[in-house]
Short mmCIF file of all heavy atoms in Angstrom, two decimals:
data_model
loop_
_atom_site.label_atom_id
_atom_site.label_comp_id
_atom_site.label_asym_id
_atom_site.label_seq_id
_atom_site.Cartn_x
_atom_site.Cartn_y
_atom_site.Cartn_z
N ASP R 901 75.62 -176.17 -42.78
CA ASP R 901 76.24 -176.42 -41.49
C ASP R 901 76.32 -175.08 -40.75
O ASP R 901 76.99 -174.16 -41.23
CB ASP R 901 77.61 -177.01 -41.71
CG ASP R 901 78.30 -177.43 -40.36
OD1 ASP R 901 77.93 -176.87 -39.32
OD2 ASP R 901 79.16 -178.30 -40.38
N GLU R 902 75.61 -175.01 -39.63
CA GLU R 902 75.59 -173.71 -38.90
C GLU R 902 76.93 -173.33 -38.32
O GLU R 902 77.14 -172.18 -37.88
CB GLU R 902 74.54 -173.79 -37.76
CG GLU R 902 74.95 -174.62 -36.56
CD GLU R 902 74.70 -176.12 -36.72
OE1 GLU R 902 74.23 -176.55 -37.83
OE2 GLU R 902 74.98 -176.86 -35.78
N THR R 903 77.92 -174.23 -38.30
CA THR R 903 79.21 -173.92 -37.76
C THR R 903 80.19 -173.41 -38.85
O THR R 903 81.32 -173.06 -38.55
CB THR R 903 79.87 -175.15 -37.08
OG1 THR R 903 80.14 -176.10 -38.10
CG2 THR R 903 78.96 -175.75 -36.05
N GLU R 904 79.75 -173.41 -40.07
CA GLU R 904 80.60 -172.99 -41.18
C GLU R 904 80.00 -171.87 -42.02
O GLU R 904 78.80 -171.83 -42.26
CB GLU R 904 80.87 -174.20 -42.10
CG GLU R 904 81.62 -175.29 -41.42
CD GLU R 904 81.80 -176.51 -42.33
OE1 GLU R 904 81.29 -176.48 -43.48
OE2 GLU R 904 82.47 -177.47 -41.94
N TRP R 905 80.85 -170.95 -42.45
CA TRP R 905 80.46 -169.90 -43.39
C TRP R 905 80.17 -170.51 -44.76
O TRP R 905 80.50 -171.67 -45.00
CB TRP R 905 81.54 -168.83 -43.49
CG TRP R 905 81.90 -168.15 -42.19
CD1 TRP R 905 82.76 -168.56 -41.24
CD2 TRP R 905 81.34 -166.91 -41.73
NE1 TRP R 905 82.77 -167.71 -40.20
CE2 TRP R 905 81.95 -166.67 -40.48
CE3 TRP R 905 80.42 -166.01 -42.26
CZ2 TRP R 905 81.64 -165.52 -39.72
CZ3 TRP R 905 80.09 -164.87 -41.48
CH2 TRP R 905 80.71 -164.65 -40.22
N ASN R 906 79.57 -169.70 -45.62
CA ASN R 906 79.43 -170.16 -47.02
C ASN R 906 80.78 -170.64 -47.59
O ASN R 906 81.80 -170.10 -47.23
CB ASN R 906 78.82 -169.07 -47.87
CG ASN R 906 79.73 -167.88 -48.04
OD1 ASN R 906 80.60 -167.85 -48.86
ND2 ASN R 906 79.59 -166.89 -47.15
N ASP R 907 80.69 -171.58 -48.49
CA ASP R 907 81.90 -172.16 -49.03
C ASP R 907 82.47 -171.35 -50.16
O ASP R 907 81.73 -170.63 -50.86
CB ASP R 907 81.59 -173.58 -49.56
CG ASP R 907 82.81 -174.38 -49.84
OD1 ASP R 907 83.38 -175.00 -48.93
OD2 ASP R 907 83.28 -174.37 -51.01
N GLU R 908 83.76 -171.34 -50.34
CA GLU R 908 84.41 -170.58 -51.42
C GLU R 908 83.97 -171.03 -52.82
O GLU R 908 84.17 -170.33 -53.80
CB GLU R 908 85.94 -170.60 -51.28
CG GLU R 908 86.55 -172.00 -51.37
CD GLU R 908 88.03 -172.04 -51.04
OE1 GLU R 908 88.48 -171.07 -50.36
OE2 GLU R 908 88.68 -172.99 -51.45
N SER R 909 83.36 -172.23 -52.89
CA SER R 909 82.89 -172.73 -54.18
C SER R 909 81.61 -171.97 -54.63
O SER R 909 81.13 -172.12 -55.75
CB SER R 909 82.58 -174.22 -54.08
OG SER R 909 81.48 -174.44 -53.19
N MET R 910 81.05 -171.23 -53.68
CA MET R 910 79.76 -170.51 -53.95
C MET R 910 79.78 -169.72 -55.26
O MET R 910 78.83 -169.83 -56.07
CB MET R 910 79.45 -169.60 -52.76
CG MET R 910 78.15 -168.86 -52.84
SD MET R 910 77.92 -167.87 -51.31
CE MET R 910 76.26 -167.25 -51.56
N ALA R 911 80.84 -168.95 -55.45
CA ALA R 911 80.86 -168.05 -56.62
C ALA R 911 80.86 -168.83 -57.90
O ALA R 911 80.31 -168.32 -58.93
CB ALA R 911 82.12 -167.17 -56.53
N THR R 912 81.40 -170.05 -57.92
CA THR R 912 81.47 -170.81 -59.17
C THR R 912 80.09 -171.31 -59.61
O THR R 912 79.92 -171.70 -60.76
CB THR R 912 82.41 -172.00 -59.01
OG1 THR R 912 81.79 -172.95 -58.05
CG2 THR R 912 83.77 -171.60 -58.51
N MET R 913 79.12 -171.30 -58.69
CA MET R 913 77.81 -171.76 -59.02
C MET R 913 76.82 -170.67 -59.43
O MET R 913 75.68 -170.92 -59.79
CB MET R 913 77.22 -172.48 -57.80
CG MET R 913 77.94 -173.69 -57.36
SD MET R 913 77.13 -174.48 -55.92
CE MET R 913 78.42 -174.36 -54.71
N LEU R 914 77.29 -169.44 -59.39
CA LEU R 914 76.41 -168.29 -59.58
C LEU R 914 76.86 -167.42 -60.75
O LEU R 914 78.03 -167.45 -61.12
CB LEU R 914 76.42 -167.42 -58.29
CG LEU R 914 75.84 -168.11 -57.05
CD1 LEU R 914 76.23 -167.35 -55.81
CD2 LEU R 914 74.29 -168.23 -57.15
N PRO R 915 75.97 -166.62 -61.33
CA PRO R 915 76.34 -165.78 -62.44
C PRO R 915 77.43 -164.79 -62.03
O PRO R 915 77.39 -164.19 -60.93
CB PRO R 915 75.05 -165.00 -62.76
CG PRO R 915 73.97 -165.87 -62.26
CD PRO R 915 74.50 -166.59 -61.07
#
Side-chain angles (χ1 to χ4, degrees):
D901 186 335
E902 75 278 0
T903 67
E904 296 178 357
W905 299 85
N906 65 86
D907 193 85
E908 58 188 23
S909 66
M910 182 178 185
T912 66
M913 297 180 240
L914 297 162

